[in-house]
Amino acid sequence: MSTLSQEAPQASNVPVADWFDHTFLYDDPLKISQRMRQEGHEIMYIPMFHMHFTCSTALGRAIWNDPKNWCNLRGEIPLTKAIGPNLMFKRGEEHAKERAAIMPSLRPKTVQEAWEPVFRRHAAELIDKLIEHGPGVDLNEHFAVPYAARNLAAIAGLNEVPWQDVAKWSHAFIKAAQNQLDDPSLWPPAEEARNGVDAAIDVATPRLKANPDASMLSSLVNGPSQIPLDVIRGSIRLGVAGAMNEPQHAILHGLWALERHPEQKARLLKDPTLFPQAFAEVMRWLPPITAVPREAMNPVTVHGIDFKPGQIVVVQISGANRDPKEFEDPDTFNILRKPRPDFSFGGGEHLCAGIWITRATVQIAWKMLYERLEGLRVIEPEHTPWFGFVYRGIEKLPVTWDAVRAA
Amino acid sequence: MTKIIYVTSDGASTTVDAEDGSNVMQTALDNNVPGIIGQCGGGMICATCHVYVPPEFADLLGPVGTEENDMLEVVTTGRRPNSRLSCQITIKPELNGLTVNIPESQY
């Protein structure tokens, strides 16, 4: 984020968060929003990033709902350096065209008809393996990672490569995408991941042209309009980068949050109709992606602040999802809360295309895990380690259970 | 300018001078009309800009497309024969006086 070069990155009249230092990069970013609220500010300027951060849902929404004046970042940022050009950094018709080319694979109807059976099969196979490992197994390594990676490989259409490669590429992209401090060791794995994805596309394309399926690559190569190879690569790389971390972490965050709230866990397991609400609340309370930026394209005033072109506002997602003006008792985890639009999947034209996929993968995983493993619980949830700044999540979650139910 | 009237489920009405070429969802967001979320900015991903339109405007709006139809299947407040996604209704002078009824919930 330090590569931005605009001359006056700070909007006038926005207070400076002079307390922000690099230690925040290794901590829970929710602390930024908590500090801002303590000081009575809904937006502050962070000199280290040359960006404003906001924890206000209303302010964030005003920006995201105004595509004429705000776009995704235009300068080079770690994410674009990591995965190369892709639709996330395009706008208007160009973006809409590329988005439309992948959406047939990601719409709710496709998710239900084509993908849910695949997700169930993957979950069932992996739960069998969990049972072989026995109580004490790390649910991240032995379920969340392989489940998310196998689902992702299928959705992307990269059937010819082992899921381990897809997982490795996705992690390399995510690590490089949040390499704000420009650690040189993180760029070569991202390059290897780009090359790996591109080679996998080359291998899969003839198969999908001969036998189209519901995958993203199939939609791209068999769609009504001719899509250039660089666009295909950008879209699939973005899918590989984005579609693993989020479901992987959401699955773990949900099990962890429920463990910390046993009454709600018991209620959910008694009434499975609450799963969609539980999913919405887990995403609000513990969002796997914690920061989403927008850049002003024109002079624009939002909530009385005059922004100049090139100035950037980052919505601090975990903070905005706990905005007391938007959510009653916002710090409390409550699966009975009526779902409201939050920022966990972004918003506006760049709303996460995988929103329906993620809703399905995560809820299927929770339901099948709790169904098969009677008494499933997290071991010592009070000691669970969390990692990451922009992409934040649980990386190790040992679990145990009392008995195994038949599949 | 084309007048669009938004009516929420509790009967509150907002009349907006809409810009031709925009759409009914974006016009609602630009004018802070309550009840239309439009989370995906018109990409037909979120199904949070659901409205009911009067039958007399049906011909002017054209048929429901395949993608719009798929998304209307997953709206949270009951789909009716006159359900539309407001992001798919482009503002044009013939729509002057269009009243859209906003369902109780989009989420």
Side-chain angles (χ1 to χ4, degrees):
Chain A
M1 295 192 192
S2 56
T3 51
L4 297 159
S5 61
Q6 74 270 27
E7 284 174 15
Q10 186 187 357
S12 49
N13 301 329
V14 174
V16 177
D18 52 13
W19 38 263
F20 188 96
D21 60 28
H22 70 279
T23 58
F24 277 88
L25 296 174
Y26 304 101
D27 207 339
D28 187 346
L30 181 58
K31 289 188 178 168
I32 304 170
S33 290
Q34 287 168 338
R35 179 80 179 254
M36 286 166 63
R37 286 209 178 94
Q38 271 169 18
E39 297 189 3
H41 302 304
E42 62 173 26
I43 181 165
M44 293 189 88
Y45 178 74
I46 299 187
M48 183 190 286
F49 297 138
H50 309 291
M51 294 176 183
H52 310 81
F53 270 52
T54 183
C55 55
S56 157
T57 21
L59 203 156
R61 196 166 289 144
I63 289 173
W64 285 3
N65 287 346
D66 181 10
K68 279 185 189 157
N69 289 310
W70 295 89
C71 64
N72 223 326
L73 303 192
R74 294 180 289 189
E76 189 182 62
I77 59 166
L79 180 61
T80 44
K81 195 173 171 185
I83 71 175
N86 64 76
L87 69 164
M88 203 170 159
F89 297 89
K90 297 173 186 175
R91 44 186 301 274
E93 281 192 21
E94 190 186 13
H95 169 268
K97 203 176 151 193
E98 292 186 22
R99 175 82 133 195
I102 55 168
M103 280 317 292
S105 304
L106 306 174
R107 288 193 192 285
K109 198 175 175 184
T110 316
V111 172
Q112 198 183 2
E113 291 173 0
W115 299 127
E116 288 190 5
V118 174
F119 302 157
R120 285 201 187 88
R121 191 179 74 235
H122 290 164
E125 289 169 7
L126 288 163
I127 292 171
D128 284 343
K129 286 189 181 168
L130 281 180
I131 294 165
E132 283 171 27
H133 280 281
V137 66
D138 173 15
L139 202 77
N140 180 55
E141 182 184 348
H142 294 284
F143 183 84
V145 168
Y147 176 68
R150 289 177 68 175
N151 292 345
L152 166 56
I155 297 158
L158 306 182
N159 300 4
E160 286 82 359
V161 288
W163 66 262
Q164 289 88 344
D165 282 359
V166 177
K168 185 177 74 179
W169 297 334
S170 190
H171 281 146
F173 282 148
I174 290 290
K175 275 193 154 185
Q178 55 184 338
N179 189 14
Q180 283 89 1
L181 299 179
D182 201 18
D183 175 347
S185 72
L186 298 182
W187 302 123
E191 187 184 358
E192 195 186 315
R194 289 196 298 277
N195 295 336
V197 171
D198 294 354
I201 290 171
D202 293 344
V203 173
T205 297
R207 167 178 55 83
L208 291 167
K209 279 189 173 164
N211 296 297
D213 64 17
S215 69
M216 283 170 59
L217 185 55
S218 182
S219 295
L220 284 160
V221 299
N222 297 313
S225 54
Q226 182 83 23
I227 310 288
L229 182 60
D230 63 320
V231 170
I232 292 174
R233 286 176 172 171
S235 297
I236 298 293
R237 288 176 190 171
L238 181 63
V240 168
M244 171 149 173
N245 160 80
E246 189 126 349
Q248 173 201 345
H249 284 155
I251 289 165
L252 302 174
H253 295 181
L255 292 173
W256 183 85
L258 289 165
E259 206 57 58
R260 303 289 276 169
H261 301 86
E263 283 171 21
Q264 294 187 55
K265 180 181 171 187
R267 182 151 187 177
L268 173 68
L269 298 184
K270 217 170 160 182
D271 180 6
T273 64
L274 292 172
F275 271 100
Q277 271 172 261
F279 173 78
E281 181 63 352
V282 168
M283 292 299 290
R284 182 193 75 85
W285 204 57
L286 298 168
I289 297 176
T290 72
V292 176
R294 287 289 182 272
E295 178 178 330
M297 292 186 288
N298 307 302
V300 56
T301 303
V302 186
H303 283 208
I305 302 161
D306 297 324
F307 291 100
K308 296 190 183 105
Q311 293 181 336
I312 292 166
V313 177
V314 174
V315 177
Q316 207 282 305
I317 306 290
S318 35
N321 282 356
R322 297 189 188 198
D323 183 345
K325 289 181 186 162
E326 189 75 12
F327 300 98
E328 196 179 325
D329 198 8
D331 288 324
T332 301
F333 177 77
N334 178 9
I335 63 167
L336 299 178
R337 189 186 293 276
K338 186 181 174 324
R340 293 183 47 77
D342 61 34
F343 286 116
S344 302
F345 287 98
E349 66 179 353
H350 295 291
L351 178 77
C352 175
I355 185 167
W356 297 94
I357 291 271
T358 309
R359 282 173 176 155
T361 50
V362 173
Q363 291 181 56
I364 285 171
W366 289 344
K367 281 184 197 168
M368 290 182 66
L369 284 164
Y370 282 125
E371 273 166 19
R372 292 261 350 251
L373 304 173
E374 192 178 333
L376 175 67
R377 58 197 179 275
V378 175
I379 297 171
E380 295 187 2
E382 62 280 12
H383 294 129
T384 299
W386 290 72
F387 295 96
F389 180 70
V390 176
Y391 305 92
R392 185 167 180 81
I394 292 170
E395 296 285 334
K396 197 173 170 60
L397 196 72
V399 294
T400 188
W401 56 87
D402 300 322
V404 173
R405 290 197 193 96
Chain B
M1 287 296 195
T2 301
K3 273 197 195 325
I4 304 289
I5 301 125
Y6 297 86
V7 181
T8 54
S9 60
D10 60 5
S13 157
T14 312
T15 301
V16 171
D17 282 326
E19 199 180 316
D20 292 334
S22 183
N23 62 61
V24 172
M25 178 276 294
Q26 189 62 46
T27 301
L29 300 190
D30 292 345
N31 292 280
N32 297 314
V33 176
I36 290 181
I37 309 292
Q39 199 177 6
C40 74
M44 282 197 284
I45 296 176
C46 68
T48 63
C49 67
H50 177 204
V51 293
Y52 304 113
V53 296
E56 61 269 26
F57 279 89
D59 285 347
L60 281 171
L61 300 182
V64 174
T66 312
E67 292 167 343
E68 184 181 355
N69 186 54
D70 286 354
M71 295 311 293
L72 285 168
E73 290 294 311
V74 293
V75 294
T76 53
T77 303
R79 180 178 185 177
R80 298 179 198 158
N82 61 337
S83 285
R84 296 299 300 252
L85 294 183
S86 55
C87 67
Q88 297 306 303
I89 305 175
T90 305
I91 308 284
K92 51 187 177 181
E94 302 93 295
L95 294 184
N96 193 39
L98 171 70
T99 298
V100 296
N101 285 283
I102 301 171
E104 188 185 348
S105 170
Q106 301 277 7
Y107 217 78

